[in-house]
Amino acid sequence: MQKIRVMIWGFGAMGSGIARALLQKKGVEICAVFDLWEELQGREIHEYLGLERGEHPPVPIESDALKGIKAGAADVVILATDSFTAKAFPKLKHCIEAGINVISTAEEMSWPWAQEPELARDLDRLARMHQVSVLGTGVNPGFVLDYLILALSGCLIDLDQISAARINDLAPFGKAVMEEQGVGISLAEFQARLAADDLAGHVGFPESISIIAAGLGIDLPRIEQSKEPIVSKTERSTPYAEVKVGEVAGIRQQGRGFTASGEEFIHLDHPQQIRPEAEGVKTGDFINLSAGEYCLKMAIEPEIPGGVGTIAMCVNMIPHVINAAPGLRNLLELPVPRAILGDMRQLIQANVEEIRNYKAGDLVVIERVILPAGERAPSVPEETAGKPLMAYYKGYLKEAAKTGDEVSIETVIGREITGRLSNREVSYRHNFGTVVPELAELARSVRELVREEA
C-alpha cells in the first residue's frame, strides 16, 4: 500500500511543526505545502526546516492552495490557518469538495456546534455527500480541559461538579501571541481593548464545556466566559515582550457551564501569562471531579506543552480520520488519541480492509475510479454526485500481489486491465432483502380482496 499522502495548508509555527513531526513518522508522506507568506514561496520544506531530505521527495512551498488541492491529490489535508469556524469554512469546503479528508487546528472546530451550528450542519452535509471525514482537534480545546476530563469520569458512577485549570507560560510564543494576549500593555489599555473585543484570550471554552456536556449526556443551557488582567508585581521579559510592574502579564480567562436550574456544574480556569514563576506560580494542568464524598484529583506539572500537544494530536489522528465514517466527526466518536510509533498504514489496513495475498493466476476482482466524487454528471442526485463512479472487473491475476496493490488482470475474453486489487467475491450474490411481515400481511389481504371481487 502506498504511503498516506498529507497536504499542509498553512506553514507557520503550527504547520511547520506538523511537517517536522510527519517527517519522523513511518508510512506517511508530505505531498504538498501551501502558505501565502511571500518569503516562503518556492522554498523546499526540508531546506527551510534545516532537515536532511533523505529519501523523501522534494516539496516546494506553494501559494495557491485552491489550485493544488484537487481530487485524488492527497488522503488528508491538515488545515493550520485559523482559530474560528467561520474563517476556516471556505477552506474546509474546498478540501471537502475535492474529496479529501480534513483535520483542522481551528479551536472552534473541536466542537463547531457550540457557536456555529449552521456551519457545522453544512460541513457535515458536504462531508457526507463527498464521502470524506472532517475533524477539528488540538490540545486545548480538544484534550486537556474536555477529553481528559471525560476519560477520568469513566472511573466514577456519579458526578456532582467539575473544576479544572490549565496554567501555562506564554514565554515560548512569538510577537503575535503577545499582542493578542495584551502582554506588556497598561491596565487602562487592557480595559479599553477588552471593551472593544480586541483581546483574543483563549478560544475554546464554549467548545470544551459543550464537549463535556455531550460526553456526559447532560444539558448545560447556559455558558458564561470572563476575562481578567493578570497585573504583574515584578518585572518580566521574553524575546518578544517586556512587562513592567503594574502592567499586564497576561489574561486569566474562565468559563462556566450552568444546569437548567442555574447551578454551576463546570468551572474551567485558564490563566495565561509570561514567566509565571516570577511570582511563584507553578504551571500545570489540574482536574478535580467531585462525586459525593469522593473527589478525584489529577495534576500534571508542568502543563502539557500547547504547541507540541496540538501538533501531536493532528498527526496521531490521521489514520483514525481516514478510517472514520463520512461526515463532521469529533473526538468522542473516534478511537482514543495515542502516539503512533509504528507504520501508520497498519492502522488503516487493520480498520478498513483485510490484507490478503493472491497468487499469479488467481481469479480476482479489481476496481477502478471512472469519475471521482464531484465530477459526476450535474443531473445525478446529490447523494450519488458525492460518490465516485466505480467499475469492477473480474479476471486472472498476472503476478502475485496483495489487497490494495495496483495490478493487471486478464479477463476471460483476453483483455488486459489494470486497477486496485480488492477482496470482493468473484461470484455475485443477490437477494431481495429480509422479509417484511407487514408487506406479507398486505399481500394476503390483497389476494382476499381479489377473490371477493371475482
Side-chain angles (χ1 to χ4, degrees), residues 398-414:
K398 302 283 283 186
E399 296 180 356
K402 63 181 182 300
T403 309
D405 288 345
E406 286 292 316
V407 300
S408 294
I409 62 170
E410 183 178 330
T411 68
V412 291
I413 60 172

Side-chain angles (χ1 to χ4, degrees), residues 83-84 105-108 110 115 138-146 164-166 168 170 177 180-182 190 194 197 199-209 224-228 250-255 268-272 306 310:
S83 290
F84 305 100
T105 63
E107 289 94 323
E108 283 190 356
S110 63
Q115 301 194 76
V139 76
N140 187 44
F143 188 76
V144 177
L145 293 183
D146 35 56
R166 178 167 169 80
N168 69 317
L170 291 175
V177 171
E180 290 172 356
Q181 302 296 328
F190 179 94
L194 184 64
D197 195 23
L199 288 168
H202 168 63
V203 178
F205 273 147
E207 289 71 28
S208 287
I209 292 171
E224 295 181 354
Q225 297 186 81
S226 64
K227 294 177 183 176
E228 307 166 31
I251 299 176
R252 181 187 181 188
Q253 192 160 335
Q254 300 180 76
L268 304 180
D269 192 2
H270 192 17
Q272 301 186 84
T310 294

